[in-house]
Amino acid sequence: MGSKPALARQILEAQKECQGSGSCPEDLQRRLQAIVDQFDTAAEAALSYVKEEDPQYFRRFLQVIDRPFLLPYRQKTLQDLSKTPVGDDSSYDEETGDECLSRIMGAFVEESSGKKIEECNVTRSCWDMMTDKGRCKYSITHQLLYFSFIEKQGCTQRVEASMKAKVADTQERMCGSIYNEAASEVKDEKVDDVFQDLFLEQVLVCGTLGFENFMRSDWMRMVLTWQKPTGCFSEDNPLILQTVGRLVEAQEKERQLMEDLKMESAMIEQQHHNGRKLLRERVMHDGCLSHKTGLGVGTLGLYARYLVRQNFLGQ
């Protein structure tokens, strides 16, 4: 399968643009291709672990991790940021959100009938959830991800016609709020350990859409200091890392318990789904954090693509 993580996808596009322009040094093209190949291999090896950990999640989102998630790079700049408020509601129902995303991808199957729903399906409840204003943190980044899925799946015209709203306008509104929130997390050119994962996700989801406000040189330098010599992203505070590890361990025990119980009771199964946590972090054996590392390398790939465009493509 041709799975490519966020870094490889961004580097791949940079490499393609370099080849097509004729203005990039051959050495740079070779280095970009080598990075793509390296991460392609790593992604292939990771698929079996993803499938084993959560088979249902794997099946639902296979087409996301099995092929490049690419959007056209359109240079955009957010305007009137001083007038864009930051939300204060961080609540998010992950199970419902996953269902809404799978409906867009055409991967949702109705439990009652076993019928697979056609892609680009948008329900009123999903739309209301994903356009609800006043959200912040991971809640608004996941709202934005929903609209990125709409664009990636080629559903934009159908969705805009049925919902009487512009996808691009919604993306811009959300990224304005996300930018102001991300900027508030930076204090003296640093972001507290507990907010670094969120910061990376904020940069990645909006930067991928072409909002170059997020391509700040001071942010680039800061993010580079978070990467460990091994290449991964972790936590400098050992107490935080230990706490995350214990939390993940507790969640895994809870997940296993619920897996056992749901075989005996459909009611308990439903309660389990409604109580799923947004946190999907895993502490690796060397102290690396899987989710943070994925976001980190994706953000570095985004930065690299931007720098290639700026320095060699004149854009």
Side-chain angles (χ1 to χ4, degrees):
M1 289 185 252
S3 175
K4 286 182 170 59
L7 171 63
R9 294 194 294 266
Q10 293 294 339
I11 296 294
L12 177 61
E13 288 303 292
Q15 195 265 352
K16 288 180 179 178
E17 291 169 351
C18 273
Q19 283 186 329
S21 69
S23 60
C24 288
E26 291 186 4
D27 179 60
L28 174 60
Q29 294 184 45
R30 287 193 295 269
R31 290 175 65 186
L32 293 175
Q33 186 61 57
I35 295 173
V36 172
D37 293 342
Q38 182 178 4
F39 275 88
D40 219 7
T41 301
E44 293 285 356
L47 277 178
S48 60
Y49 293 96
V50 177
K51 183 177 181 179
E52 181 179 355
E53 181 177 327
D54 194 336
Q56 181 180 358
Y57 194 87
F58 177 84
R59 290 192 298 270
R60 178 178 286 183
F61 292 100
L62 177 60
Q63 60 178 291
V64 176
I65 61 177
D66 187 42
R67 66 189 66 172
F69 192 103
L70 296 174
L71 294 171
Y73 191 95
R74 298 183 295 270
Q75 292 176 286
K76 292 176 282 188
T77 303
L78 296 166
Q79 305 293 336
D80 298 324
L81 285 167
S82 62
K83 300 178 181 179
T84 306
V86 174
D88 57 6
D89 183 0
S90 61
S91 62
Y92 185 79
D93 185 335
E94 187 183 10
E95 179 63 25
T96 301
D98 286 352
E99 176 183 317
C100 294
L101 291 172
S102 65
R103 283 179 176 276
I104 293 296
M105 296 184 296
F108 182 74
V109 178
E110 291 182 335
E111 289 187 13
S112 58
S113 64
K115 178 182 177 182
K116 189 174 183 179
I117 301 300
E118 183 182 358
E119 67 178 2
C120 302
N121 178 264
V122 176
T123 64
R124 172 51 62 179
S125 60
C126 282
W127 183 261
D128 290 345
M129 174 184 177
M130 296 303 183
T131 58
D132 186 30
K133 296 182 179 180
R135 299 299 183 95
C136 63
K137 296 183 170 60
Y138 293 101
S139 181
I140 191 172
T141 59
H142 281 67
Q143 284 181 317
L144 180 61
L145 186 62
Y146 179 73
F147 287 91
S148 296
F149 271 57
I150 288 174
E151 185 176 352
K152 188 261 181 183
Q153 290 296 120
C155 304
T156 301
Q157 291 185 345
R158 290 172 59 179
V159 170
E160 290 182 341
S162 62
M163 295 299 169
K164 311 300 181 186
K166 292 290 186 181
V167 168
D169 291 345
T170 303
Q171 291 173 334
E172 184 169 354
R173 172 180 65 80
M174 290 182 178
C175 281
S177 181
I178 290 171
Y179 177 86
N180 284 337
E181 186 177 3
S184 71
E185 293 157 6
V186 182
K187 309 292 185 183
D188 298 324
E189 300 184 352
K190 295 181 180 180
V191 172
D192 192 277
D193 281 7
V194 296
F195 294 117
Q196 288 178 4
D197 183 277
L198 174 62
F199 181 87
L200 291 168
E201 184 159 316
Q202 291 165 331
V203 172
L204 188 57
V205 294
C206 288
T208 300
L209 293 174
F211 291 106
E212 297 189 346
N213 306 69
F214 293 82
M215 303 296 104
R216 293 175 45 166
S217 59
D218 56 337
W219 287 7
M220 293 182 190
R221 289 192 295 269
M222 178 178 66
V223 169
L224 282 171
T225 67
W226 300 349
Q227 190 175 32
K228 304 304 178 184
T230 58
C232 76
F233 287 72
S234 184
E235 296 286 353
D236 289 330
N237 188 324
L239 180 60
I240 293 177
L241 185 62
Q242 184 180 42
T243 301
V244 171
R246 289 177 176 176
L247 176 60
V248 170
E249 182 180 357
Q251 288 182 319
E252 178 59 26
K253 290 180 179 178
E254 178 187 16
R255 185 192 69 80
Q256 187 58 55
L257 174 62
M258 288 301 180
E259 285 294 319
D260 294 339
L261 290 175
K262 75 179 183 180
M263 297 177 63
E264 304 175 12
S265 171
M267 180 182 68
I268 294 179
E269 177 186 13
Q270 183 62 38
Q271 290 174 347
H272 165 58
H273 286 324
N274 289 341
R276 286 179 67 183
K277 306 298 183 183
L278 186 62
L279 180 64
R280 286 188 173 273
E281 189 61 274
R282 291 291 182 272
V283 182
M284 313 300 282
H285 72 279
D286 54 1
C288 294
L289 296 174
S290 61
H291 186 262
K292 186 177 181 180
T293 296
L295 294 174
V297 295
T299 299
L300 293 181
L302 180 67
Y303 287 159
R305 185 181 182 188
Y306 170 77
L307 292 173
V308 167
R309 292 175 65 88
Q310 290 293 311
N311 290 287
F312 298 103
L313 306 182
Q315 300 181 36

